Amino acid sequence: MEFGQFGGAYLPPYLLTAIKEVEDAYNKFKDDPAFIEEFKDLLNTYAGRPSNLYFAKRLTECLGGAKVYLKREDLNHTGSHKINNVIGQALLAKRMGKKKLIAETGAGQHGVATATVAALLGLECEIHMGAVDVEKQALNVYKMQLLGATVVSVQEGLRTLKEAVDSALIKWSTEHESMFYLIGSAVGPHPYPMMVRDFQKVIGIEIKEQILKLENRLPDYVIACVGGGSNAIGAFFDFIPDPTVKLIGVEALGKGLDTNLHAATMTLGQTGVIHGMKTKVLLDDKGEISPVYSISAGLDYPGVGPEHAYLDEIKRVTYFGATDEEAVQAFEYLTLIEGIIPAIESSHALAYAISLAKTLPKDQIIVVNLSGRGDKDVKHIARFRGFEIVD
Ligand SMILES: *Cc1c(COP(=O)(O)O)cnc(C)c1O
């Protein structure tokens, strides 16, 4: 297994050829200087890297404790860290001679990111989405169509993400000669968790360079939100060998751990198999995958990337949570104090960082990975606070 007892590729036989082909290609190109150069070039010229490491001076003063820095992934093209990964995988697809990208999406963020790189690289794009989500996310559906993607509305079962995954996988298995399956987080069967981490580790590499320049030392904490875990593993990876740097992942506690409305996979999950990987999974009494909930569409996932399950087991990363209410308060606070509207996903990491910073002496340094911008969330936050914005 790739990550201690976690990882692997638990797949039905009809997908084994398709996945083997991705693994071979990843092994062939991951250390290829021309491939790495092309990836770096697009990260810089298209995505806008390196993203700033910003010292949040007013936030730090207001909290009265540790210095807080924000890694500004929200400033990337399309507004989050997701662009790093989709560029990497789409370039690999091209090297493999694929004509088409296929992906599934729930809230639509990953679908839009995938459609974006398809447009950039002149690839066809097919996004599978549950019919219920298609209805709820009309704006993202229209964006994907503007970007040239075909959106397939999946009518099976509960007509949400799970059915969209099944539908996209079946389609891929029948047409993998021409299609590349593009996964949106550090999850799924090997080699995806490792590959997505490799495309996202630029975040931590940049943080290290930037903080050494600004402070002449490593940070004491790096904090990131965890859904599938791609922004977090991207921010953490380069710091894993540095024992003085404490790494903290923050997951979504939704309405609270004492309710069934949360996505606390690291806190309450058990070892199991989901989406082709062995990892921590939230299971119900019958041993079935639990329905999950969070105010944040990016964090309501009943599994987690297998590398996080491993880093938890070896105690290199510590995992905490933040509730909807705590995340919304952090969202409002950062907006008010710094003039930065964070994604509601990132606001979970911020919520934990804010409470931690207050308890620490002034010479400590915290870096929070601001995984995305919050423009997409404003309407939803208004509703959470009890008023409806009609446009
Ligand atoms: C998708 C998303 C996430 C959650 O995904 P990870 O793979 O856990 O990083 C977090 N933040 C933002 C802004 C997202 O769009």
Side-chain angles (χ1 to χ4, degrees):
M1 220 68 97
E2 297 76 39
F3 309 109
Q5 60 158 316
F6 302 106
Y10 296 80
L11 292 170
Y14 64 85
L15 281 171
L16 293 178
T17 333
I19 201 80
K20 180 76 171 54
E21 203 193 343
V22 176
E23 186 182 356
D24 290 346
Y26 164 70
N27 284 333
K28 178 169 167 202
F29 289 112
K30 70 182 166 65
D31 303 314
D32 177 338
F35 180 79
I36 294 169
E37 203 43 51
E38 196 179 4
F39 177 52
K40 276 196 181 151
D41 184 61
L42 281 182
L43 287 183
N44 296 343
T45 60
Y46 187 73
R49 305 206 71 87
S51 65
N52 294 340
L53 183 67
Y54 166 72
F55 173 49
K57 185 159 173 281
R58 237 165 75 78
L59 179 67
T60 298
E61 281 167 10
C62 289
L63 298 175
K67 287 178 98 168
V68 181
Y69 282 86
L70 304 175
K71 179 59 171 167
R72 299 291 308 275
E73 291 299 295
D74 61 313
L75 296 178
N76 295 339
H77 177 52
T78 68
S80 84
H81 70 290
K82 285 193 170 70
I83 193 76
N84 306 324
N85 169 49
V86 291
I87 288 176
Q89 286 190 57
L91 283 177
L92 184 65
K94 270 217 130 161
R95 294 279 169 139
M96 292 168 75
K98 305 296 178 190
K99 299 269 176 293
K100 192 170 189 172
L101 303 178
I102 184 168
E104 82 282 335
T105 195
Q109 296 303 117
H110 174 56
V112 171
T114 304
T116 299
V117 283
L120 170 71
L121 297 177
L123 293 162
E124 291 169 53
C125 183
E126 184 174 310
I127 304 295
H128 290 236
M129 198 168 179
V132 170
D133 293 330
V134 169
E135 203 135 298
K136 274 204 263 184
Q137 304 292 339
L139 185 65
N140 280 338
V141 171
Y142 190 64
K143 270 190 204 169
M144 289 181 243
Q145 289 166 340
L146 279 175
L147 289 159
T150 303
V151 178
V152 176
S153 175
V154 179
Q155 303 293 343
E156 266 76 47
L158 295 175
R159 299 182 296 152
T160 59
L161 183 64
K162 183 186 172 300
E163 292 79 19
V165 174
D166 294 340
S167 166
L169 281 175
I170 287 169
K171 182 70 180 279
W172 183 45
S173 71
T174 60
E175 291 185 35
H176 66 88
E177 288 83 8
S178 62
M179 282 185 174
F180 184 91
Y181 195 102
L182 207 158
I183 294 186
S185 187
V187 299
H190 180 69
Y192 283 95
M194 203 178 266
M195 179 162 71
V196 174
R197 177 253 277 156
D198 285 344
F199 293 140
Q200 292 290 3
K201 69 185 180 191
V202 61
I203 301 172
I205 292 171
E206 285 178 9
I207 293 173
K208 195 180 264 185
E209 277 174 19
Q210 290 166 324
I211 201 76
L212 285 173
K213 213 176 232 173
L214 290 163
E215 294 278 355
N216 207 19
R217 73 174 185 89
L218 294 178
D220 299 289
Y221 295 86
V222 178
I223 302 178
C225 66
V226 179
S230 69
N231 89 87
I233 199 68
F236 297 163
F237 191 66
D238 205 45
F239 292 102
I240 290 174
D242 301 310
T244 61
V245 182
K246 295 177 249 335
L247 305 173
I248 294 177
V250 185
E251 60 183 7
L253 302 188
K255 304 276 185 211
L257 284 176
D258 51 349
T259 72
N260 280 331
L261 299 171
H262 59 72
T265 312
M266 297 305 300
T267 312
L268 295 179
Q270 305 165 43
T271 300
V273 172
I274 181 173
H275 295 149
M277 58 180 161
K278 188 170 178 197
T279 185
K280 284 219 170 178
V281 193
L282 272 175
L283 301 172
D284 65 16
D285 307 340
K286 297 188 203 102
E288 315 245 343
I289 291 164
S290 299
V292 280
Y293 162 83
S294 163
I295 188 174
S296 144
L299 302 186
D300 67 349
Y301 182 59
V304 67
E307 196 161 8
H308 287 289
Y310 172 67
L311 290 169
D312 175 57
E313 192 173 67
I314 64 166
K315 299 195 159 49
R316 180 62 189 92
V317 180
T318 315
Y319 296 85
F320 297 100
T323 62
D324 287 0
E325 176 61 37
E326 289 164 340
V328 170
Q329 280 180 22
F331 175 99
E332 293 166 338
Y333 195 61
L334 192 74
T335 303
L336 192 65
I337 299 294
E338 290 285 350
I340 296 170
I341 304 180
I344 188 64
E345 289 85 2
S346 326
S347 302
H348 287 71
L350 262 177
Y352 184 82
I354 285 171
S355 60
L356 176 68
K358 290 178 189 166
T359 69
L360 295 174
K362 292 188 172 163
D363 64 349
Q364 296 273 295
I365 297 171
I366 296 176
V367 175
V368 183
N369 194 30
L370 213 68
S371 54
R373 65 175 178 231
D375 306 51
K376 67 182 176 57
D377 302 309
V378 171
K379 230 174 158 173
H380 200 64
I381 301 292
R383 185 176 300 158
F384 185 85
R385 286 302 188 217
F387 49 98
E388 205 63 40
I389 297 174
V390 188
D391 50 17

